Amino acid sequence: MTPTRFDDPSRGAARQPNRARIKRQAHYRKLTRWTLQGWLTMFYLAAGYAKLTEPTELLGVLLTWPDAVDPVFVRALGGLELVLALGLVLALAPRVPARAILNRVLAFSLLESLAFFLFHAVERDFGHMLVNAVLVALSVIVFRTQERAS
C-alpha cells in the first residue's frame, strides 16, 4: 500500500496548527462576539426605549403583558434594558474592565430572557417565546466566546 499525503507526517497530517491559524481563529471569535454583542445592544436599546416612551396601551397591544402589571414596572424594566444596552457597549470599549461589566450584563440578560421565556410559555405566546429563546442563545454564545478570548 502506498502512503498518501494524509499518511505522511512530513506533509502536514500530524502538524500542529500554525500561529497564523490560531491568531485568525481568535480574531473570528472576537468578531463574532462583537457582532452578537451589537445585536443584543440594538435589541435592548430598542426594547428599553419603547418601554420608556410608548403609551402603555400600545405596549399592551404589542407585548400583551404590560396590561397585567403596573406601568411603573414597565418603565423601570425599560430603564434597566437601556442600562443593559449601555453595559454591552461599554464592554467593547478599550481600557474598561470589560470582563466584569460584561459578565454582570450577560447575567441580567439571561435572567430577564429566561423569566420572560417562562412567562410567555405559561401564556402560550410562542412568538415571544422564540424571541426570548434567541436572546438566551445570544447571551450564552457571547459569554462563551468572551470566556475563551480572555
PDB file of all heavy atoms in Angstrom, residues 101-116:
ATOM      1  N   ILE A 101     -17.873  43.947  33.658  1.00  0.00           N
ATOM      2  CA  ILE A 101     -19.114  44.568  33.174  1.00  0.00           C
ATOM      3  C   ILE A 101     -19.918  43.569  32.368  1.00  0.00           C
ATOM      4  O   ILE A 101     -21.112  43.389  32.578  1.00  0.00           O
ATOM      5  CB  ILE A 101     -18.803  45.815  32.327  1.00  0.00           C
ATOM      6  CG1 ILE A 101     -18.238  46.925  33.201  1.00  0.00           C
ATOM      7  CG2 ILE A 101     -20.044  46.302  31.596  1.00  0.00           C
ATOM      8  CD1 ILE A 101     -17.713  48.104  32.422  1.00  0.00           C
ATOM      9  N   LEU A 102     -19.254  42.907  31.418  1.00  0.00           N
ATOM     10  CA  LEU A 102     -19.959  42.007  30.518  1.00  0.00           C
ATOM     11  C   LEU A 102     -20.577  40.829  31.262  1.00  0.00           C
ATOM     12  O   LEU A 102     -21.701  40.429  30.964  1.00  0.00           O
ATOM     13  CB  LEU A 102     -19.024  41.510  29.417  1.00  0.00           C
ATOM     14  CG  LEU A 102     -19.676  40.754  28.283  1.00  0.00           C
ATOM     15  CD1 LEU A 102     -20.725  41.607  27.581  1.00  0.00           C
ATOM     16  CD2 LEU A 102     -18.622  40.313  27.273  1.00  0.00           C
ATOM     17  N   ASN A 103     -19.880  40.279  32.242  1.00  0.00           N
ATOM     18  CA  ASN A 103     -20.441  39.156  32.993  1.00  0.00           C
ATOM     19  C   ASN A 103     -21.720  39.558  33.724  1.00  0.00           C
ATOM     20  O   ASN A 103     -22.698  38.813  33.721  1.00  0.00           O
ATOM     21  CB  ASN A 103     -19.419  38.606  33.981  1.00  0.00           C
ATOM     22  CG  ASN A 103     -18.358  37.781  33.302  1.00  0.00           C
ATOM     23  OD1 ASN A 103     -18.523  37.328  32.173  1.00  0.00           O
ATOM     24  ND2 ASN A 103     -17.242  37.590  33.983  1.00  0.00           N
ATOM     25  N   ARG A 104     -21.733  40.733  34.318  1.00  0.00           N
ATOM     26  CA  ARG A 104     -22.932  41.183  35.030  1.00  0.00           C
ATOM     27  C   ARG A 104     -24.083  41.475  34.064  1.00  0.00           C
ATOM     28  O   ARG A 104     -25.224  41.137  34.316  1.00  0.00           O
ATOM     29  CB  ARG A 104     -22.604  42.415  35.857  1.00  0.00           C
ATOM     30  CG  ARG A 104     -21.800  42.085  37.095  1.00  0.00           C
ATOM     31  CD  ARG A 104     -21.310  43.319  37.813  1.00  0.00           C
ATOM     32  NE  ARG A 104     -20.581  43.021  39.014  1.00  0.00           N
ATOM     33  CZ  ARG A 104     -19.301  42.668  39.061  1.00  0.00           C
ATOM     34  NH1 ARG A 104     -18.612  42.545  37.955  1.00  0.00           N
ATOM     35  NH2 ARG A 104     -18.715  42.422  40.210  1.00  0.00           N
ATOM     36  N   VAL A 105     -23.749  42.107  32.957  1.00  0.00           N
ATOM     37  CA  VAL A 105     -24.774  42.421  31.957  1.00  0.00           C
ATOM     38  C   VAL A 105     -25.365  41.141  31.382  1.00  0.00           C
ATOM     39  O   VAL A 105     -26.583  41.006  31.238  1.00  0.00           O
ATOM     40  CB  VAL A 105     -24.187  43.317  30.847  1.00  0.00           C
ATOM     41  CG1 VAL A 105     -25.103  43.403  29.659  1.00  0.00           C
ATOM     42  CG2 VAL A 105     -23.893  44.708  31.392  1.00  0.00           C
ATOM     43  N   LEU A 106     -24.507  40.194  31.046  1.00  0.00           N
ATOM     44  CA  LEU A 106     -24.999  38.938  30.480  1.00  0.00           C
ATOM     45  C   LEU A 106     -25.807  38.142  31.497  1.00  0.00           C
ATOM     46  O   LEU A 106     -26.782  37.482  31.128  1.00  0.00           O
ATOM     47  CB  LEU A 106     -23.835  38.105  29.943  1.00  0.00           C
ATOM     48  CG  LEU A 106     -23.163  38.673  28.694  1.00  0.00           C
ATOM     49  CD1 LEU A 106     -21.919  37.876  28.357  1.00  0.00           C
ATOM     50  CD2 LEU A 106     -24.110  38.683  27.516  1.00  0.00           C
ATOM     51  N   ALA A 107     -25.425  38.207  32.764  1.00  0.00           N
ATOM     52  CA  ALA A 107     -26.198  37.511  33.797  1.00  0.00           C
ATOM     53  C   ALA A 107     -27.607  38.090  33.883  1.00  0.00           C
ATOM     54  O   ALA A 107     -28.593  37.349  33.933  1.00  0.00           O
ATOM     55  CB  ALA A 107     -25.487  37.621  35.143  1.00  0.00           C
ATOM     56  N   PHE A 108     -27.717  39.425  33.876  1.00  0.00           N
ATOM     57  CA  PHE A 108     -29.042  40.029  33.911  1.00  0.00           C
ATOM     58  C   PHE A 108     -29.816  39.727  32.638  1.00  0.00           C
ATOM     59  O   PHE A 108     -31.021  39.471  32.677  1.00  0.00           O
ATOM     60  CB  PHE A 108     -28.958  41.538  34.133  1.00  0.00           C
ATOM     61  CG  PHE A 108     -30.313  42.172  34.231  1.00  0.00           C
ATOM     62  CD1 PHE A 108     -31.067  42.032  35.381  1.00  0.00           C
ATOM     63  CD2 PHE A 108     -30.853  42.852  33.166  1.00  0.00           C
ATOM     64  CE1 PHE A 108     -32.326  42.586  35.471  1.00  0.00           C
ATOM     65  CE2 PHE A 108     -32.113  43.407  33.237  1.00  0.00           C
ATOM     66  CZ  PHE A 108     -32.855  43.277  34.392  1.00  0.00           C
ATOM     67  N   SER A 109     -29.140  39.755  31.501  1.00  0.00           N
ATOM     68  CA  SER A 109     -29.797  39.441  30.229  1.00  0.00           C
ATOM     69  C   SER A 109     -30.366  38.023  30.249  1.00  0.00           C
ATOM     70  O   SER A 109     -31.506  37.793  29.835  1.00  0.00           O
ATOM     71  CB  SER A 109     -28.796  39.595  29.080  1.00  0.00           C
ATOM     72  OG  SER A 109     -29.334  39.123  27.879  1.00  0.00           O
ATOM     73  N   LEU A 110     -29.575  37.082  30.734  1.00  0.00           N
ATOM     74  CA  LEU A 110     -30.057  35.698  30.834  1.00  0.00           C
ATOM     75  C   LEU A 110     -31.229  35.592  31.795  1.00  0.00           C
ATOM     76  O   LEU A 110     -32.225  34.927  31.495  1.00  0.00           O
ATOM     77  CB  LEU A 110     -28.922  34.779  31.289  1.00  0.00           C
ATOM     78  CG  LEU A 110     -27.967  34.322  30.217  1.00  0.00           C
ATOM     79  CD1 LEU A 110     -26.765  33.625  30.837  1.00  0.00           C
ATOM     80  CD2 LEU A 110     -28.664  33.389  29.249  1.00  0.00           C
ATOM     81  N   LEU A 111     -31.116  36.251  32.938  1.00  0.00           N
ATOM     82  CA  LEU A 111     -32.183  36.196  33.928  1.00  0.00           C
ATOM     83  C   LEU A 111     -33.478  36.766  33.367  1.00  0.00           C
ATOM     84  O   LEU A 111     -34.537  36.140  33.464  1.00  0.00           O
ATOM     85  CB  LEU A 111     -31.760  36.968  35.182  1.00  0.00           C
ATOM     86  CG  LEU A 111     -32.758  37.002  36.319  1.00  0.00           C
ATOM     87  CD1 LEU A 111     -32.918  35.617  36.916  1.00  0.00           C
ATOM     88  CD2 LEU A 111     -32.296  37.979  37.375  1.00  0.00           C
ATOM     89  N   GLU A 112     -33.382  37.936  32.732  1.00  0.00           N
ATOM     90  CA  GLU A 112     -34.575  38.556  32.168  1.00  0.00           C
ATOM     91  C   GLU A 112     -35.165  37.709  31.039  1.00  0.00           C
ATOM     92  O   GLU A 112     -36.372  37.466  30.985  1.00  0.00           O
ATOM     93  CB  GLU A 112     -34.245  39.956  31.642  1.00  0.00           C
ATOM     94  CG  GLU A 112     -35.458  40.643  31.067  1.00  0.00           C
ATOM     95  CD  GLU A 112     -35.122  41.859  30.229  1.00  0.00           C
ATOM     96  OE1 GLU A 112     -34.023  41.930  29.675  1.00  0.00           O
ATOM     97  OE2 GLU A 112     -36.001  42.714  30.131  1.00  0.00           O
ATOM     98  N   SER A 113     -34.312  37.239  30.142  1.00  0.00           N
ATOM     99  CA  SER A 113     -34.798  36.458  28.997  1.00  0.00           C
ATOM    100  C   SER A 113     -35.430  35.141  29.437  1.00  0.00           C
ATOM    101  O   SER A 113     -36.459  34.731  28.902  1.00  0.00           O
ATOM    102  CB  SER A 113     -33.660  36.190  28.014  1.00  0.00           C
ATOM    103  OG  SER A 113     -33.136  37.393  27.532  1.00  0.00           O
ATOM    104  N   LEU A 114     -34.813  34.474  30.409  1.00  0.00           N
ATOM    105  CA  LEU A 114     -35.386  33.214  30.907  1.00  0.00           C
ATOM    106  C   LEU A 114     -36.712  33.457  31.630  1.00  0.00           C
ATOM    107  O   LEU A 114     -37.655  32.681  31.462  1.00  0.00           O
ATOM    108  CB  LEU A 114     -34.396  32.511  31.832  1.00  0.00           C
ATOM    109  CG  LEU A 114     -33.229  31.817  31.147  1.00  0.00           C
ATOM    110  CD1 LEU A 114     -32.214  31.340  32.182  1.00  0.00           C
ATOM    111  CD2 LEU A 114     -33.711  30.653  30.297  1.00  0.00           C
ATOM    112  N   ALA A 115     -36.776  34.527  32.403  1.00  0.00           N
ATOM    113  CA  ALA A 115     -38.029  34.836  33.113  1.00  0.00           C
ATOM    114  C   ALA A 115     -39.158  35.102  32.126  1.00  0.00           C
ATOM    115  O   ALA A 115     -40.266  34.577  32.273  1.00  0.00           O
ATOM    116  CB  ALA A 115     -37.826  36.027  34.044  1.00  0.00           C
ATOM    117  N   PHE A 116     -38.865  35.897  31.101  1.00  0.00           N
ATOM    118  CA  PHE A 116     -39.909  36.195  30.127  1.00  0.00           C
ATOM    119  C   PHE A 116     -40.195  35.001  29.224  1.00  0.00           C
ATOM    120  O   PHE A 116     -41.319  34.829  28.756  1.00  0.00           O
ATOM    121  CB  PHE A 116     -39.565  37.445  29.315  1.00  0.00           C
ATOM    122  CG  PHE A 116     -39.948  38.703  30.028  1.00  0.00           C
ATOM    123  CD1 PHE A 116     -38.990  39.476  30.663  1.00  0.00           C
ATOM    124  CD2 PHE A 116     -41.266  39.094  30.102  1.00  0.00           C
ATOM    125  CE1 PHE A 116     -39.344  40.623  31.342  1.00  0.00           C
ATOM    126  CE2 PHE A 116     -41.639  40.246  30.781  1.00  0.00           C
ATOM    127  CZ  PHE A 116     -40.668  41.004  31.400  1.00  0.00           C
TER     128      PHE A 116
END
